[in-house]
């Protein structure tokens, strides 16, 4: 299969998946399912990008390595988001957008989710670029694996710490500032970004590998400046203004660094 045809098929996977997500949200009112479907669909597209044979590029152990990395990421993230998506509630980020879009909600949500499909396609192409590296497995592959493992474990720890904090009735109305959350206001986002550094590292050493840099660049912009930190912090400022203001003064927004005095 040609690279162009494969990318077209990956785009179709993402568009169809996020169209299904759009329909589910309209029928159930549970916008959290969009992130579940996006995580799984991006994983499927990434595995396909790594394993579908490309003309002139022999399949190697690196293809299976990259496919395994993106599959583990997808399953963990999608399953985690699914576990916190409960009937009777809605993601505050999407709820704010619904209020902002008003009567045009259906159309604007569809457009928004197709933009997410485009983001998933960029990530899948980054996986493709890394998997297509024709060089023998070496040090950069080991470094990429280490980065991915650290990121997945770090994000899992951050998610578990937040879940445990929220379960304690004594913490109602408070802001989680324990463990990794005492170093960054969004350690889960930091490790999510850190994970995508694995692919340009694995792709180092040949021309097309530089395309994989699009993944961490895109994720940084999305998480720090677009759909990640800004809407979530706006919700926190509305729901617990004093506690969150004090938290912001002490803790970095993204980079996990010691508390500021």
């Amino acid at each position: 299969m040609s690279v162009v045809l494969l990318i077209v098929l990956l785009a179709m996977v993402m568009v169809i998946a996020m169209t299904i997500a759009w329909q589910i949200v309209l029928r159930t009112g549970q916008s959290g399912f969009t992130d579940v479907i996006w995580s799984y669909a991006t994983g499927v597209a990434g595995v396909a990008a790594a394993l579908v044979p490309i003309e002139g590029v022999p399949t190697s152990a690196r293809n299976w390595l990259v496919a395994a990395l993106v599959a583990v990421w997808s399953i963990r993230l999608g399953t985690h988001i699914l576990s916190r998506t409960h009937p009777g509630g809605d993601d505050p980020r999407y709820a704010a957008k619904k209020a902002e879009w008003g009567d045009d909600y259906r159309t604007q949500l569809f457009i928004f989710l197709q933009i997410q499909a485009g983001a998933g396609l960029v990530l899948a192409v980054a996986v493709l670029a890394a998997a297509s590296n024709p060089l023998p497995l070496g040090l950069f592959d080991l470094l990429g694996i280490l980065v991915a493992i650290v990121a997945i474990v770090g994000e899992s720890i951050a998610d578990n710490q937040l879940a445990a904090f929220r379960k304690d009735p004594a913490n109602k109305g408070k802001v989680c500032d324990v463990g990794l959350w005492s170093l960054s206001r969004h350690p889960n986002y930091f490790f999510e970004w850190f994970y995508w550094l694995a692919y340009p590292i694995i792709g180092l050493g040949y021309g097309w590998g530089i395309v994989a840099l699009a993944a961490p660049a895109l994720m940084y912009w999305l998480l720090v400046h677009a759909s990640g930190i800004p809407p979530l912090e706006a919700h926190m400022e509305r729901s617990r203004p004093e506690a969150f203001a004090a938290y912001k003064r002490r803790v970095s927004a993204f980079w996990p660094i010691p508390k500021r005095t």
Side-chain angles (χ1 to χ4, degrees), residues 34-204:
T34 62
D35 293 336
V36 175
I37 294 173
W38 181 86
S39 301
Y40 288 148
T42 303
V44 169
V47 170
L51 296 182
V52 171
I54 301 296
E55 293 176 359
V57 181
T59 302
S60 68
R62 181 178 286 108
N63 294 86
W64 292 98
L65 163 66
V66 170
L69 291 179
V70 73
V72 171
W73 165 84
S74 172
I75 293 170
R76 192 218 72 85
L77 181 61
T79 304
H80 167 70
I81 298 173
L82 180 61
S83 70
R84 72 183 192 192
T85 302
H86 303 293
D90 199 8
D91 188 311
R93 296 171 301 160
Y94 287 96
K97 287 187 176 298
K98 185 175 183 178
E100 175 187 344
W101 291 332
D103 294 338
D104 202 27
Y105 171 69
R106 293 171 63 93
T107 301
Q108 291 298 323
L109 178 63
F110 180 81
I111 295 172
F112 182 76
L113 295 185
Q114 294 310 316
I115 293 173
Q116 288 192 356
L121 176 61
V122 171
L123 300 182
V125 171
V127 172
L128 173 61
S132 300
N133 187 345
L135 300 175
L137 290 173
L139 180 61
F140 288 132
D141 297 282
L142 292 176
L143 181 57
I145 294 171
L146 179 61
V147 166
I149 291 174
V150 169
I152 291 172
V153 171
E155 190 171 1
S156 298
I157 292 173
D159 289 337
N160 290 335
Q161 288 174 341
L162 179 60
F165 183 88
R166 287 175 170 173
K167 286 181 180 178
D168 189 344
N171 293 327
K172 185 176 181 180
K174 297 181 180 179
V175 176
C176 179
D177 61 352
V178 299
L180 294 172
W181 299 84
S182 67
L183 303 177
S184 167
R185 300 203 297 273
H186 304 278
N188 52 342
Y189 287 167
F190 169 79
F191 284 111
E192 178 65 24
W193 166 80
F194 190 69
Y195 167 82
W196 290 100
L197 289 176
Y199 296 98
I201 293 173
I202 293 172
L204 281 175

